[in-house]
Amino acid sequence: GAGVSQSPSNKVTEKGKDVELRCDPISGHTALYWYRQSLGQGLEFLIYFQGNSAPDKSGLPSDRFSAERTGGSVSTLTIQRTQQEDSAVYLCASSRAGTDSYNEQFFGPGTRLTVL
Amino acid sequence: SQQGEEDPQALSIQEGENATMNCSYKTSINNLQWYRQNSGRGLVHLILIRSNEREKHSGRLRVTLDTSKKSSSLLITASRAADTASYFCAENSGYSTLTFGKGTMLLVSP
């Protein structure tokens, strides 16, 4: 079966523009996660969805960042008025059941965002 | 959220040698997981060790866990050039999210 897919794979935008990043999780996975990884750094948690609701959005760095998930499947991460410090690889992951203590996360290939 | 730390930050070895990476974590975990990342893209799950386990094997991988020291180690035996990647530990403290460390960059030279 298909893995987690993300689009676009690369995005170059100008400072101040809005961007939308998309994640298609593995079919049947109820939990979905967004992370951000800056060059040479570890993963920074952004937001977690269980179904269509987001019980944990504590990692969103500012109110310019928002995310939604519809139909318990596709998720969109939106960054408004992008800044240069938003440049990073944005990774999406999904897992079978977020409340399972032994959840293995399956990652997409990421979207590399560059803000000029 | 706090991040654990991997040690060393970078490791360079020859093919056939063993590679050991260590991870210290912050919370009381339900499990600890190791992931691998090639070329700064998606991560691949390698192995999960539960808090009541002390050692686990999977192929050439061996993971140990010491909850009293809040540390874990990943051993890759008989390394290959294809093992070159970054390796991350991730702690699961009973909630749904994982907290990742900063990773160890492993370079295996032919």
Side-chain angles (χ1 to χ4, degrees), chain B residues 65-85:
Chain B
L65 180 65
D66 185 336
T67 54
S68 67
K69 295 180 180 178
K70 292 190 173 178
S71 67
S72 174
S73 67
L74 171 67
L75 168 68
I76 304 174
T77 60
S79 62
R80 305 166 183 168
D83 294 328
T84 294

Side-chain angles (χ1 to χ4, degrees), chain A residues 37 48 98 101 103 105 108-110, chain B residues 31 33 35 37 41-42 92 96:
Chain A
Q37 186 177 31
Y48 151 62
S101 294
N103 62 325
Q105 295 186 13
Chain B
N31 66 76
Q33 302 177 28
Y35 287 80
Q37 183 179 40
R41 289 295 184 145
N92 178 287
S96 302

Side-chain angles (χ1 to χ4, degrees), chain A residues 35 42-45 56 58-59, chain B residues 1-6 23-29 32 70 89-93 97-102:
Chain A
Y35 297 88
L43 274 71
E44 175 188 8
F45 166 77
D56 188 351
S58 62
Chain B
S1 59
Q2 292 182 314
Q3 284 186 316
E5 291 190 4
E6 283 91 343
C23 165
S24 60
Y25 58 90
K26 308 286 188 183
T27 64
S28 295
I29 58 169
L32 188 133
K70 292 190 173 178
C89 67
E91 52 188 282
N92 178 287
S93 55
T97 57
L98 295 175
T99 302
F100 285 83
K102 294 183 179 180

Side-chain angles (χ1 to χ4, degrees), chain A residues 10-25:
Chain A
N10 287 284
K11 176 72 176 178
V12 180
T13 190
E14 294 180 346
K15 178 182 173 180
K17 295 285 181 67
D18 298 351
V19 296
E20 282 190 355
L21 312 179
R22 176 187 169 109
C23 172
D24 282 89

Side-chain angles (χ1 to χ4, degrees), chain A residues 22-82:
Chain A
R22 176 187 169 109
C23 172
D24 282 89
I26 292 172
S27 177
H29 279 192
T30 59
L32 185 146
Y33 313 80
W34 282 98
Y35 297 88
R36 177 169 74 172
Q37 186 177 31
S38 300
L39 186 63
Q41 299 297 309
L43 274 71
E44 175 188 8
F45 166 77
L46 298 178
I47 188 169
Y48 151 62
F49 286 93
Q50 179 61 36
N52 291 336
S53 64
D56 188 351
K57 51 179 78 171
S58 62
L60 294 177
S62 75
D63 59 8
R64 296 187 295 104
F65 288 72
S66 62
E68 64 175 13
R69 189 179 184 194
T70 56
S73 180
V74 172
S75 176
T76 302
L77 176 69
T78 301
I79 308 173
Q80 295 178 310
R81 305 180 302 283
T82 52

